Structure formats: C-alpha cells, structure tokens
Amino acid sequence: SSLKSHLNVVTFMGITDEPLCIITEFCANGSLISFLLSKKPLDMTFKLKIISDVAAGLMHLSKGIYINTKLF
C-alpha cells in the first residue's frame, strides 16, 4: 500500500540516470533549501512554522516504509 500525499511532503515523480536526478512535483515558490539560503530575514513565528511543517512531514513519512537520513 502506498502512503497518501501530505501538504508538507513533495511528491516523488521519478528519477533519471543520465544525469542522475530526482524528479519531484513542481514547487512554484522554489525549494526550501533555496529559500533558507537566500538570507531573507525571518521572524521567530515564521521559523517555528517552518520547523513545525518539516516535523509534520517527517512524522507523515515515518508512518510508511520511507527512511530519511539527511534533511538537506
């Protein structure tokens, strides 16, 4: 059985082998890592929202057979 989609988890679409790439759904606002590396000032409320959303996504993934060893 497959894990249902979740608001805080990007959908995996597939992979390519030449070059090796992971293909995910399109994220209109870009990746989280690009956003965090942009050096935009973030207030504490927004930082806590990001942390909460990441935790919710990881909790969802932990219900399946998915193993995450690296966040970035």
Side-chain angles (χ1 to χ4, degrees):
S1 69
S2 64
L3 199 60
K4 292 182 180 178
S5 63
H6 189 273
L7 177 65
N8 303 110
V9 177
V10 177
T11 302
F12 171 79
M13 307 296 279
I15 60 171
T16 65
D17 59 356
E18 216 30 70
L20 183 60
C21 294
I22 297 172
I23 303 167
T24 64
E25 69 181 285
F26 177 73
C27 298
N29 294 318
S31 69
L32 176 59
I33 189 68
S34 294
F35 179 75
L36 294 175
L37 293 175
S38 71
K39 308 277 187 204
K40 292 180 183 175
L42 305 172
D43 63 30
M44 186 56 72
T45 302
F46 194 69
K47 290 178 185 178
L48 291 173
K49 170 111 174 77
I50 292 171
I51 292 167
S52 175
D53 289 350
V54 168
L58 290 172
M59 180 66 84
H60 176 72
L61 291 175
S62 74
K63 295 176 183 175
I65 59 169
Y66 306 94
I67 299 171
N68 181 43
T69 60
K70 187 175 175 183
L71 291 176
F72 295 101

